[in-house]
Amino acid sequence: MTGKKIDIAVIDSGIWDEGVIRGKITAKIDFLARDHKDMAAWNKRSSCVHGTTCTKIIRSICPQAYFLDLTAMQPDGTTDISKLLEALDWCARHGVRLVHLSLGTINYFDIIPLKERISNLLDQNVIIVAAYHNQNIRTYPAAFPKVFGVRQDREGILKNGQFFVQEQTGYSHENSIVAHWWGEDGDQYSNSYAAPVITGYAAKVLCENKEAGFHTVLEFLKRNAVTGMKYQEKIECVIHKNVNRIDKNRNPAGKAENIEIPVIAGQGCRAEMTMLTDEFERKGFQVLLLQEKAADSRAIPIEYYGEAGRPLGQILDTVDFIYKPDIIFLDYISGKAYSMEEKREIDMLISRSHDVYTITAGGLQRTAQKAEEISSIICRYF
């Protein structure tokens, strides 16, 4: 970066060299190139609309911006975490000062490797701006400390290019930014198109002071934010119950449907639930293990999805939406009493007393003397 010019790494679906960004792309790195089977189809404008739109928004805020086009997202908006990590590693190696991410992950198992890369960049004084998932649930890197996490002003209380900092318990100011950028076609209400607003302002700060760091950018944003705003929508730990259980193609009336996969809870059976997870994975099933006070590296702590008392249905809706498992195991270590709502969500309960297992499902009850017998009971029942 020299003078008033700044190179911004845009990790996205690619940038099409047109309009206000023509001639402003200083490097192009495609981290998906080896995966492209039809390069002719890939090298079309339609394959990089998302990245191109984000780049134009940044440029509208900061006309001095130039771009490093780092392709790590498919045209449908999905990416593999390994591709994102590759792109972030490239930024660390090449001295990038500002990284824009209109993408992120809501997968619990991505957090540790992603945090390592983000921490490395932050240690190098890199400014990072990232969008939240469009469900406005906790997303990374947007929710990491010292990353500017951005959501869209869906209530329409701002104008294009404006933003404010929302106060929210459990989130720092930089993680709670709401910005406004609505396109003329009415199709830009997503968080992806709010984040570039903040990247644009961060770029302006860096154009004036190439040594500016996180605190300088944060103070600039606070000074220029709209104040006195009342905004209802917040960042959530879960997708609220029944939001994603509706399949309008099969269910035009929009009636909520239960998750059509087995939900099996174990009480005081930690070793057995781990054994069942292993066994069903060997059989080719996509298994999700939720543990109270997780001890298994393959498990997600139930507490990750919020405070005690969080409706189990909301947790199940969320993990079904994110992971699309074939079967969910709930591993409780406490002898808790289940509420009526929880009993409706659980298809089968496994408990142990005096080395005898009791398996309860609906109106049926079975017993087993050995843990190995439980899987056959599960298979017969479902």
Side-chain angles (χ1 to χ4, degrees):
M1 183 177 66
T2 59
K4 295 291 185 179
K5 172 177 174 284
I6 178 172
D7 287 323
I8 304 169
V10 178
I11 302 177
D12 211 287
S13 62
I15 305 171
W16 195 255
D17 192 14
E18 66 177 13
V20 297
I21 55 176
R22 182 175 294 280
K24 310 302 179 185
I25 302 171
T26 56
K28 295 179 76 71
I29 309 293
D30 188 350
F31 295 95
L32 302 179
R34 74 194 76 168
D35 300 331
H36 302 336
K37 295 180 180 179
D38 184 355
M39 291 302 296
W42 180 263
N43 291 319
K44 291 183 178 179
R45 186 186 186 283
S46 59
S47 70
C48 53
V49 170
H50 189 271
T52 303
T53 302
C54 291
T55 304
K56 287 180 177 178
I57 296 169
I58 296 170
R59 180 80 181 178
S60 70
I61 301 291
C62 181
Q64 296 82 21
Y66 285 72
F67 303 97
L68 305 168
D69 177 9
L70 308 184
T71 301
M73 179 196 287
Q74 300 286 351
D76 64 1
T78 62
T79 191
D80 185 278
I81 186 65
S82 65
K83 303 301 181 184
L84 174 56
L85 298 180
E86 282 185 49
L88 293 171
D89 286 341
W90 188 94
C91 292
R93 291 195 306 271
H94 289 82
V96 171
R97 288 287 287 114
L98 177 55
V99 176
H100 174 81
L101 294 158
S102 277
L103 53 81
T105 182
I106 54 177
N107 188 316
Y108 174 81
F109 301 104
D110 293 340
I111 295 175
I112 291 177
L114 183 58
K115 188 174 184 179
E116 291 174 354
R117 273 31 176 237
I118 294 298
S119 295
N120 184 31
L121 288 167
L122 293 174
D123 288 344
Q124 296 181 34
N125 202 32
V126 178
I127 305 302
I128 304 170
V129 181
Y132 280 90
H133 189 279
N134 285 334
Q135 289 280 357
N136 279 341
I137 56 177
R138 184 170 42 194
T139 309
Y140 295 99
F144 283 142
K146 295 189 177 181
V147 172
F148 295 97
V150 190
R151 290 169 290 139
Q152 181 68 260
D153 164 32
R154 295 176 180 172
E155 297 176 15
I157 61 178
L158 301 173
K159 296 179 181 178
N160 271 5
Q162 291 184 328
F163 63 93
F164 65 91
V165 178
Q166 184 184 35
E167 297 287 344
Q168 181 167 350
T169 302
Y171 291 87
S172 300
H173 286 157
E174 70 269 18
N175 305 130
S176 307
I177 300 172
V178 178
H180 185 107
W181 195 278
W182 289 2
E184 295 179 358
D185 297 332
D187 59 351
Q188 295 182 358
Y189 287 72
S190 71
N191 294 335
S192 289
Y193 302 134
V197 172
I198 302 305
T199 300
Y201 286 118
K204 293 184 76 168
V205 173
L206 290 172
C207 282
E208 294 300 320
N209 176 9
K210 66 179 182 179
E211 303 301 328
F214 165 76
H215 292 291
T216 303
V217 174
L218 180 60
E219 289 307 312
F220 173 89
L221 293 175
K222 287 183 175 180
R223 289 196 306 271
N224 290 275
V226 177
T227 59
M229 293 290 100
K230 299 292 184 181
Y231 192 74
Q232 299 300 315
E233 196 168 30
K234 293 184 180 294
I235 306 161
E236 299 284 355
C237 295
V238 296
I239 297 170
H240 284 286
K241 191 174 175 69
N242 296 332
V243 168
N244 68 296
R245 292 195 187 187
I246 299 171
D247 184 338
K248 294 185 181 298
N249 294 323
R250 293 188 296 112
N251 186 6
K255 295 180 180 179
E257 297 178 350
N258 288 332
I259 295 174
E260 296 297 329
I261 57 174
V263 177
I264 301 171
Q267 203 163 38
C269 303
R270 174 139 294 184
E272 292 81 0
M273 299 306 285
T274 300
M275 179 203 73
L276 289 168
T277 298
D278 291 338
E279 183 167 346
F280 278 90
E281 284 182 343
R282 285 196 297 269
K283 291 178 179 179
F285 291 97
Q286 181 72 29
V287 181
L288 186 71
L289 176 61
L290 293 169
Q291 286 186 327
E292 185 180 27
K293 296 180 174 58
D296 192 312
S297 61
R298 298 167 301 167
I300 301 175
I302 295 174
E303 309 84 56
Y304 177 74
Y305 293 105
E307 68 281 354
R310 171 77 67 184
L312 179 59
Q314 291 181 0
I315 297 174
L316 295 176
D317 280 336
T318 303
V319 299
D320 181 53
F321 175 80
I322 297 171
Y323 304 99
K324 299 292 187 292
D326 299 313
I327 185 169
I328 297 174
F329 287 118
L330 300 173
D331 178 11
Y332 292 102
I333 58 175
S334 61
K336 63 173 290 181
Y338 293 95
S339 67
M340 290 302 296
E341 185 271 338
E342 288 175 316
K343 288 179 180 178
R344 285 194 296 268
E345 300 290 350
I346 295 170
D347 299 302
M348 179 178 285
L349 177 63
I350 303 168
S351 59
R352 184 179 63 181
S353 178
H354 303 295
D355 295 326
V356 175
Y357 299 97
T358 301
I359 300 95
T360 305
L364 300 177
Q365 191 173 84
R366 297 284 186 272
T367 59
Q369 300 296 320
K370 297 180 180 180
E372 292 76 11
E373 299 172 17
I374 299 174
S375 63
S376 61
I377 294 174
I378 292 173
C379 290
R380 287 199 302 271
Y381 183 81
F382 293 105

